[in-house]
Amino acid sequence: MRAIITRICRVIGLSSLALLLLSCGGGGGGSSEGGFTGTADLNISITLSKNLLPVNSFLAPPQVGGIFTSTFTVKVERADGSLFPAESVAVDLLSPDDTGALVFLDGDSENQDDDGNELLFRRLVFEETTGIVTGHFHALSSPGTANLEASVTDPDTGVVASARTQITVGSGASTGQPSLIGFQFDPGPLYITGQGQIDVKLMNIFILDDAGIEVPNPTANNVRLELLPGRPNGGEILTAVGVDGNQDGTIVNTSTINGVAQATLQSGTLPGTVRIAATTDRADNNVDNGIQNAVTDVVAIPISSGEIVSLTFTGPYPGAVAQRANNLGLGAADAINSGVYFRDITVIATDEFGNPPPPGQPITFRLIDSPASGYPDEGRGVFDIAGDDGNPEEEGLTFTTQTSSLAGARVGCELFFGGIPPEFIDSSATNRREFRPNQEGSRIVTGVSGASLLSVNTAFNPNPDTGFDVPYIVGCAPHAGNVENNPGGVNVLTDGSGVASTVMNYAATQLGRHFCMAAEANGGKAGSVLCHWYLGIADGSTLTLIPEGDAQLTATTGETLTQQLTLQLLDGGGNPLPAERIAVQIVITDPDATDVVLAEIEVAVAEARLASAEQILDNFITESGVNLTPVIVPEGNENFVDPLICFIQVRSEDEEGNVTIGPVIANPNASPDCAIVAELEANVRTAQTALNEAIAALAEAQARDDFFTPTATVEPENLLTGPDGIVMPIITVEDLPPNGLVEFFFSTVGPEIRSDTVTVTVTPATGDDG
């Protein structure tokens, strides 16, 4: 069954919901009011899983079997009671507009918005049905009676058959007794007082009765608000206006106007989570005279310290890092100037609740890329002072290693720890364990003692001692890249959203080189490490052959050709791309070898045809019962031989008694099946001849192919671009036949390096005759 969307409405908000549904228009396809109408030949009925739903005051989403959702089933039948597979069945919501809506709840993305929320309709249309369709009615925020009508058109008569049913939303008449209490407040963050941040939160408290209607305005306070135990106890205070004036404290009373009361929470000097209970009295809508039948709701509100506990790299460059990208286009804040790349790097700082800290918090950015070895000839480089067995002293200033060496570290170098990929330390590094988020960051080396201990400028975070399990690298100036042209790092202040941005600089000559950048805040308590390699520009990158004439090479037939090629890889800015892998594919075209394969196929086909012809002959002989063995008959008895005997020999005797046996001849009285056998035998002989010819052709092709066995190789096996983006592979072609061809296809591997493939072709030298 396929659902067709006739009118789509997206739920935008509580206040605009009724208006939104009205804009979708009403339903159609009905007939007269009340009950069931239709032709005698086609009947339709509609049934409900629930005909009474509560008011959905806070607009909970629809859910199959949910308390605010009823499932309807529509059945279309012929007069004899059998199901009729109607091509189209419509269900309309006739009235009112804000009581509820129709939903499919079929999982089809066409019936959902871009965020996966169910769309609300005034009409559902089902096509290609089996005679039974199901949909759903979902209650909204207003009580009342909803009228649903299902309709189907008789395809023979054009008469519309319809059925109606009703769903009551809410219990009917308003009682005025509190039944539901709830909070609504600004979801923005709340901070401890004294930081210049928002330290007061305004909240609305709703009270509705059983019908989902606002309770009448009371003459006394009908809301009690209380700060529950377990809060930070830093001086948090509730403030509200009661019937007798302003109130503040940990417990306050207030009253509703048109079902809504207001209050504020003033934060204290300590961070944490505050739980607030709102209570009303169902007995008399009055909390001043004691609470007899409590209706309560509890909400939790975090109070942020504004202290940075987490730093997250964000933006295009970190996004490319996450995707292991090889290159990245220039963003709005990026540039290339005098052979230097300027890349925008951004971090987002958050507190323990994910809220931004007060603006103006310093973030320290540092970058290291040396001492390292292996770049670019062996790849992107491996840091020389590195390991995965670091042990930061919890709440202390020392950093020790177990087996790896800190030799080469000196005062002023930078220690990066946690978040270091294995390839930055050693390609063979294994058995790495998870590290805690606050075991990631950077420090300045202030002292070195031997090859396994150093001291740093800022104490490490408190942690349970996990031993020697933190990956680390040590970077020492000078570095090929930097932050804002400052080799020692820079401090950047956060904005009101907790964002701090800086610029990473690196020369075009360093593309592809490993680096690590660290962001640090809150005296080293928060840190993050970003490790990747210096990226070039993706668009317009090129792989070229130098000289271009090497694209067409010749080899003497039967001899060995060895040729060194020069390939250069440039990024979209025209700068060399070192340390990038180049893939190569080799295709050898050997017509003689191809002829052997084709000849082998022909032999296989001929063998199959012969086997088939022989099988057909054997089967026919068995089924027809004919006898192919010649039978000797006396002269004069030729016409009396069994018709199933296909061949005879006539026996004659002269007057002297000499016996003569004649040649094999066809039985003149033979069955027509004998003639068919003769044709089938001819087919077998033809197939055998074809097989003999195919075998001979194969032998001839193999003989030609045995003269040459072409091979081709490329060395080294792993091609990496080196300085200036150049790679110099050596190709070797051996024993090329006079009609042969070898093609080498060189291409980049990274999907972000969109260069054309370079093809090098080796053909036999002109005049080679083998």
Side-chain angles (χ1 to χ4, degrees), residues 412-428:
C413 292
E414 297 167 5
L415 169 70
F416 282 38
F417 54 94
I420 313 297
E423 61 267 26
F424 284 69
I425 298 173
D426 188 336
S427 59
S428 62

Side-chain angles (χ1 to χ4, degrees), residues 391-463:
N391 184 12
E393 179 190 6
E394 288 71 17
E395 298 187 87
L397 295 172
T398 62
F399 184 88
T400 55
T401 62
Q402 190 171 39
T403 58
S404 63
S405 174
L406 296 169
R410 61 183 185 273
V411 173
C413 292
E414 297 167 5
L415 169 70
F416 282 38
F417 54 94
I420 313 297
E423 61 267 26
F424 284 69
I425 298 173
D426 188 336
S427 59
S428 62
T430 58
N431 194 31
R432 294 167 61 87
R433 285 167 280 180
E434 293 293 329
F435 56 90
R436 291 175 172 81
N438 62 351
Q439 283 183 308
E440 181 176 5
S442 66
R443 297 289 189 273
I444 303 297
V445 176
T446 58
V448 179
S449 177
S452 61
L453 186 148
L454 53 79
S455 58
V456 296
N457 63 323
T458 304
F460 296 102
N461 291 327
N463 277 302

Side-chain angles (χ1 to χ4, degrees), residues 36 39 41-46 73-91 126 129-133 150-155 161-163:
F36 161 80
T39 68
D41 296 326
L42 201 61
N43 300 320
I44 186 170
S45 62
I46 181 169
T73 301
V74 179
K75 183 182 296 185
V76 183
E77 298 175 308
R78 299 182 179 91
D80 61 3
S82 62
L83 288 177
F84 176 74
E87 293 184 1
S88 177
V89 175
V91 178
F126 305 87
T129 76
T130 62
I132 298 178
V133 301
S151 59
V152 64
T153 301
D154 190 320
S162 64

